[in-house]
Amino acid sequence: MNPIPYGRQHITQEDIDAVVETLQSDFLTQGPKVLEFENKFAAYIGAKYAVAVANGTAALHLCALALGVNEKSRVITTPITFAASANCVRYCGGEVEFADINPETGLLELEKVRQKLESQPKGYYTGIIPVDFAGLPVNLEEFRKLADEFGLWIIEDACHAPGGYFIDSKGEKQNCGNGNYADLAIFSFHPVKHIATGEGGMITTNNPDLYEKLLTLRTHGITRDPQKMRENHGGWYMEMQELGYNYRMPDMLTALGISQLNRAEEGLLRRKEIAKRYDSAFRNLSNIKILNPAAYKAENAEKTSHAYHLYVIQVEKRKALYDFLRTKNIFAQVHYIPVHLMPYYQDLGFKKDDFPLAEAYYEMCLSLPMFPSLTDEEQEYVIENVLAFLQNG
Ligand SMILES: Cc1ncc(COP(=O)(O)O)c(C=O)c1O
């Protein structure tokens, strides 16, 4: 069997043609494809505005800047995420706090966040960054209520969940990243993600002021809008009004993004099919736990639609299974090493046992291959080998 990674991009001839076409156009960096991608992505997600940026990390950084994160800010996120979800606060000099996860879903636990907020005077914390981990949507309606009680903003890290949604208490479908409950949401187009452009990211929002601010921050803090300029010396004139960055996404990558977006629903359906097959193979085994059971239990099936960036199982002998699968050319992965245990965060004062549920989850988690071009035969081979390990180990 050829090597099977845990995730990989799927590039078609259409994708290649779309990129080549932009290479033959006048725009190597930001051009007309960027706005087209933004408009199509916003429509897909159901948000009013979208801002394409260099990658998901840049998206997080710009969101933190746009919301005014600074040395006085204290922001809560989950330890079970990619470090960038927390790092964006540090880029702006703010303090990161973590709250523990719900062990059934792997998501940031609302009650743990509430406890944290209630343990300090109002105004102590500034914002929350929940993550739709593995593709399972966070119930942002509940987080919004909590955030409003304490005057906090929300950045939804939806990198894993384009196409995922939950049904809110009014019975309305809320797509991940649609901006109805979060102030800002971010996505990544890293190769293992649903839409892959190599490097690339997107911010979505319904807030016109934040949208305007993000556009400026993405390009050095420069404006060319005569209404906003202090002076105007002529046609060439522009003003750098605040400290921004070059976080633009080039036209050739946004062209790839548009082409990939056209197949997003197809890819999502395939991911769900793969998940269903894993579910039925593992569901009744006592020595394996499937993360996110709420997502497929009949009573919740219509309330939450999992986007399945990852398919996570939990087993006692995780390291042995990881090593065994590698000998079979199956490259499962671990998501994630808890962020608070990274040496950088330990140097800031976090330590082992701070977030025991996240740490217990980490000891047992393993992400099995999950990507649309995974063949039935390859998946069967993965399942056979996991089962063989469980029976013999
Ligand atoms: C949850 C999460 N947040 C943020 C990022 C950062 O995205 P990028 O790699 O595009 O910078 C990633 C992806 O790697 C991620 O998985």
Side-chain angles (χ1 to χ4, degrees):
M1 187 61 77
N2 288 328
I4 309 176
Y6 83 90
R8 63 162 298 155
Q9 73 273 24
H10 179 50
I11 301 292
T12 64
Q13 190 58 45
E14 271 176 10
D15 292 341
I16 293 165
D17 293 345
V19 173
V20 170
E21 200 183 303
T22 58
L23 287 173
Q24 290 160 338
S25 81
D26 290 339
F27 296 91
L28 259 194
T29 180
Q30 187 166 295
K33 288 286 169 195
V34 173
L35 190 61
E36 186 185 336
F37 186 35
E38 290 171 340
N39 289 340
K40 288 186 169 159
F41 192 85
Y44 177 63
I45 295 298
K48 278 205 183 103
Y49 309 105
V51 179
V53 290
N55 51 55
T57 306
L60 283 159
H61 186 191
L62 288 193
C63 287
L65 284 170
L67 290 164
V69 174
N70 61 28
E71 301 73 33
K72 294 187 193 124
S73 308
R74 295 185 188 93
V75 178
I76 301 173
T77 190
T78 168
I80 297 300
T81 185
F82 184 60
S85 314
N87 294 349
C88 62
V89 177
R90 299 294 303 141
Y91 299 153
C92 304
E95 225 175 87
V96 176
E97 244 314 334
F98 298 96
D100 216 338
I101 61 163
N102 176 323
E104 295 305 311
T105 62
L107 301 178
L108 181 64
E109 170 61 49
L110 184 89
E111 283 313 310
K112 302 274 182 194
V113 177
R114 176 181 289 285
Q115 282 163 19
K116 220 161 204 108
L117 295 174
E118 286 176 349
S119 71
Q120 296 291 350
K122 269 194 185 166
Y124 184 86
Y125 289 104
T126 0
I128 317 178
I129 306 179
V131 179
D132 301 310
F133 170 65
L136 182 65
V138 169
N139 187 322
L140 282 178
E141 185 183 22
E142 292 174 354
F143 270 95
R144 182 78 263 168
K145 275 188 213 145
L146 185 64
D148 286 348
E149 231 180 278
F150 288 86
L152 310 177
W153 49 253
I154 298 177
I155 301 172
E156 176 188 9
D157 183 335
C159 282
H160 295 183
Y165 64 83
F166 72 97
I167 306 289
D168 71 8
S169 63
K170 298 182 208 95
E172 283 168 17
K173 184 177 160 192
Q174 301 293 343
N175 290 341
C176 293
N178 73 1
N180 284 345
Y181 291 111
D183 297 272
L184 294 162
I186 69 109
F187 296 87
S188 159
F189 306 129
H190 176 276
V192 296
K193 302 294 196 290
H194 292 61
I195 294 164
T197 65
E199 297 289 350
M202 193 72 85
I203 305 168
T204 50
T205 184
N206 290 338
N207 180 319
D209 298 333
L210 288 174
Y211 172 62
E212 289 295 327
K213 200 163 178 58
L214 290 165
L215 290 181
T216 315
L217 287 170
R218 172 177 69 180
T219 306
H220 308 283
I222 286 175
T223 185
R224 293 175 193 278
D225 180 352
Q227 307 285 327
K228 292 184 187 156
M229 295 190 307
R230 293 186 194 174
E231 298 179 23
N232 194 346
H233 304 173
W236 68 89
Y237 192 71
M238 49 83 176
E239 284 181 352
M240 192 209 112
Q241 295 183 330
E242 58 190 316
L243 191 60
Y245 294 80
N246 176 357
Y247 278 167
R248 294 186 298 259
M249 194 176 174
D251 246 32
M252 54 191 160
L253 295 187
T254 47
L256 179 55
I258 293 165
S259 183
Q260 293 253 320
L261 183 59
N262 291 337
R263 296 198 309 279
E265 275 308 295
E266 206 181 294
L268 193 61
L269 286 177
R270 178 68 190 138
R271 285 174 185 272
K272 287 182 181 182
E273 247 173 50
I274 293 169
K276 219 172 180 177
R277 221 154 146 218
Y278 279 140
D279 282 350
S280 45
F282 303 137
R283 182 176 282 163
N284 297 320
L285 301 179
S286 56
N287 47 0
I288 190 166
K289 184 177 161 194
I290 307 167
L291 192 60
N292 310 328
Y296 67 78
K297 271 187 193 158
E299 66 271 25
N300 282 318
E302 280 158 27
K303 282 199 196 135
T304 321
S305 187
H306 200 307
Y308 283 111
H309 165 53
L310 303 173
Y311 189 91
V312 181
I313 58 169
Q314 287 176 274
V315 291
E316 287 288 345
K317 295 180 182 166
R318 188 272 313 276
K319 183 172 184 304
L321 175 57
Y322 171 91
D323 291 339
F324 172 76
L325 292 177
R326 286 177 84 87
T327 66
K328 303 288 176 188
N329 247 356
I330 300 167
F331 295 87
Q333 189 51 285
V334 170
H335 298 95
Y336 286 99
I337 303 162
V339 181
H340 70 282
L341 296 182
M342 290 292 170
Y344 171 79
Y345 282 97
Q346 292 206 32
D347 290 347
L348 291 175
F350 293 100
K351 52 189 187 321
K352 221 168 178 336
D353 299 330
D354 277 352
F355 304 100
L357 297 171
E359 291 169 31
Y361 159 81
Y362 165 60
E363 291 302 320
M364 292 175 65
C365 67
L366 195 65
S367 306
L368 297 182
M370 164 58 83
F371 51 94
S373 57
L374 182 73
T375 65
D376 288 350
E377 191 196 356
E378 286 170 328
Q379 190 182 7
E380 207 43 59
Y381 176 74
V382 173
I383 291 171
E384 268 168 28
N385 278 294
V386 172
L387 293 178
F389 174 86
L390 291 174
Q391 273 148 24
N392 302 324

